[in-house]
Amino acid sequence: MKKILGAMRKACEEFDMIQAGDRIAVGVSGGKDSMLLLYAMGLYKKYIRKAYTFIGLTVDLGFSAFNAAGIAAFADSIGVELHIEKTNIAQIVFETRKEKNPCALCSKMRKGAFYAAAKQLGCNKAAFAHNLEDVLETLLMGLLFEGRLNTFAPVTYLSRTDITLIRPFIYLEEKEILGALRRGDIPVYKNPCPADGFTKRAEVHTLLNTFLCINPNAKKSMLAAIRSAGNYPLFHLPPDMGKPVCRDPQSSPE
């Protein structure tokens, strides 16, 4: 976990993500990134000298196959409080509305439920486990589908909810996360959503891997483009970033 905590410290210190007195709601979906973030936040709290608290917060969308019990058992095993916010979002999106492109509505409703619960639980901050590839995939999605050079910021104040969103994993590559999960024997629970793996983001994930096969330095170039746009001048590529794994462009993202 040394490399994970080092990347977290770099992001947290560079963007001043955590202050003494913060109460942070960590978004936990059961996926690889969020399960590792929940675990890492506990270790990081021991690693730095700031008095803050955090809890895990899971939004149960209402899918029958969702393993909320597994997530809760893991949180309990590492001594972290977990709140599960039950909703009927899945029913609304897939049965009532019968959305052909469900992701946008689902995301809006899920985030709304998350921030409302976080506020009720006394949190002033939220932490999501977006990694380095997520930053670059969002950049590509903006270029391809919105015609603009844009990605999410490491720290975002959400005025409607009065919550500050932080992303401590922005300097972590996906392969580092996968390695830490294996070494730490951290469980991961499959997303039961029927649209999982068939989204625009999944397609862009494959496209990014194709770029890395063409140019192993594609990540550096893309982050340089973000910096040159003037929106995110503090983004810097981790100096010890390894070579990418060239995957079959036709294969499904992990």
Side-chain angles (χ1 to χ4, degrees):
M1 290 292 295
K2 185 176 180 180
K3 194 163 188 178
I4 302 297
L5 295 176
M8 281 185 67
R9 182 172 184 174
K10 174 179 172 59
C12 288
E13 291 185 351
E14 186 172 344
F15 300 106
D16 196 22
M17 292 184 179
I18 299 174
Q19 288 84 39
D22 282 342
R23 180 168 169 81
I24 305 170
V26 179
V28 187
S29 66
K32 58 180 175 55
D33 301 326
S34 67
M35 293 295 281
L36 182 63
L37 179 60
L38 185 67
Y39 178 65
M41 284 290 285
L43 297 179
Y44 187 68
K45 186 178 178 182
K46 300 175 183 177
Y47 187 60
I48 64 170
R49 297 180 179 179
K50 287 186 180 180
Y52 69 92
T53 60
F54 74 96
I55 61 169
L57 176 53
T58 297
V59 176
D60 184 342
L61 301 179
F63 291 109
S64 59
F66 182 62
N67 196 342
I71 299 172
F74 174 71
D76 185 64
S77 72
I78 59 175
V80 175
E81 176 188 348
L82 178 74
H83 175 81
I84 298 177
E85 183 71 9
K86 292 186 177 295
T87 73
N88 61 346
I89 293 174
Q91 180 183 0
I92 294 171
V93 172
F94 290 98
E95 297 178 21
T96 305
R97 297 281 295 268
K98 297 181 180 179
E99 293 284 326
K100 293 182 179 179
N101 299 300
C103 295
L105 177 60
C106 180
S107 176
K108 181 178 180 180
M109 295 181 70
R110 184 179 68 249
K111 289 177 181 177
F114 179 91
Y115 292 128
K119 201 65 182 174
Q120 290 177 356
L121 292 165
C123 298
N124 67 311
K125 287 185 178 176
F128 288 173
H130 295 122
N131 59 40
L132 180 61
E133 277 81 2
D134 291 324
V135 173
L136 301 181
E137 288 164 11
T138 301
L139 174 69
L140 288 174
M141 290 180 73
L143 286 170
L144 295 174
F145 302 113
E146 300 174 13
R148 60 187 181 131
L149 186 64
N150 185 57
T151 190
F152 47 70
V155 177
T156 305
Y157 175 66
L158 307 170
S159 57
R160 289 186 179 181
T161 59
D162 191 31
I163 286 179
T164 298
L165 173 60
I166 63 174
R167 296 178 168 95
F169 274 5
I170 55 165
Y171 285 140
L172 272 174
E173 292 185 86
E174 183 181 45
K175 64 182 180 181
E176 296 295 343
I177 291 172
L178 292 171
L181 289 170
R182 287 191 295 268
R183 291 188 297 271
D185 195 26
I186 298 171
V188 174
Y189 300 100
K190 181 174 173 56
N191 185 351
C193 176
D196 184 42
F198 301 96
T199 63
K200 292 298 182 184
R201 182 170 289 277
E203 294 174 359
V204 170
H205 181 98
T206 301
L207 179 61
L208 177 59
N209 287 326
T210 302
F211 288 165
L212 294 172
C213 292
I214 297 171
N215 175 18
N217 293 315
K219 290 180 183 179
K220 292 182 179 180
S221 297
M222 293 172 70
L223 284 177
I226 294 172
R227 291 196 299 273
S228 66
N231 295 325
Y232 308 100
L234 295 179
F235 264 114
H236 298 286
L237 194 71
D240 56 348
M241 176 177 286
K243 294 182 179 180
V245 176
C246 185
R247 298 190 182 98
D248 179 353
Q250 298 303 317
S251 65
S252 299
E254 295 182 40

